[in-house]
Amino acid sequence: LVDIGGYKLHLNCTGRGNIPVILISGASNFSFDWTLAQDKLSKSAKVCSYDRPSLAWSDPGPMPRSRMQDVYELHQLLSLSKIAAPYV
């Protein structure tokens, strides 16, 4: 769990590589929906999945939700976790 400014988001990174692959779940899906893909991809790359606020292990975040808020939170999460760009 990574505190991004008053609430925590769940981040799961596996594997190794220079350019991290970021897996983003759609709708109200969770990071563990990527388990099979993440296991295979992490054999040749660093792969990270995460849970947006109020999903799975992440804390609730500010309301109302927006795409801009999602982008801001992902940027904060990756920055604070020291996962450097570029990303796939």
Side-chain angles (χ1 to χ4, degrees):
L1 293 174
V2 179
D3 189 324
I4 65 164
Y7 56 105
K8 296 177 183 176
L9 297 183
H10 171 256
L11 177 68
N12 177 34
C13 293
T14 56
R16 292 179 165 198
N18 295 329
I19 300 177
V21 176
I22 310 301
L23 303 174
I24 303 172
S25 298
S28 8
N29 293 326
F30 310 123
S31 60
F32 53 80
D33 291 321
W34 285 110
T35 300
L36 295 175
Q38 187 163 352
D39 286 347
K40 287 189 179 208
L41 289 169
S42 62
K43 291 178 182 170
S44 60
K46 179 173 185 156
V47 183
C48 299
S49 58
Y50 77 106
D51 294 309
R52 291 188 309 275
S54 298
L55 298 176
W57 295 282
S58 291
D59 293 341
M63 297 298 277
R65 301 298 306 158
S66 70
R67 291 288 168 221
M68 291 303 295
Q69 184 67 27
D70 288 342
V71 170
Y72 168 78
E73 290 164 344
L74 179 56
H75 175 76
Q76 288 294 101
L77 179 63
L78 295 173
S79 295
L80 292 168
S81 300
K82 300 192 185 332
I83 301 170
Y87 310 110
V88 172

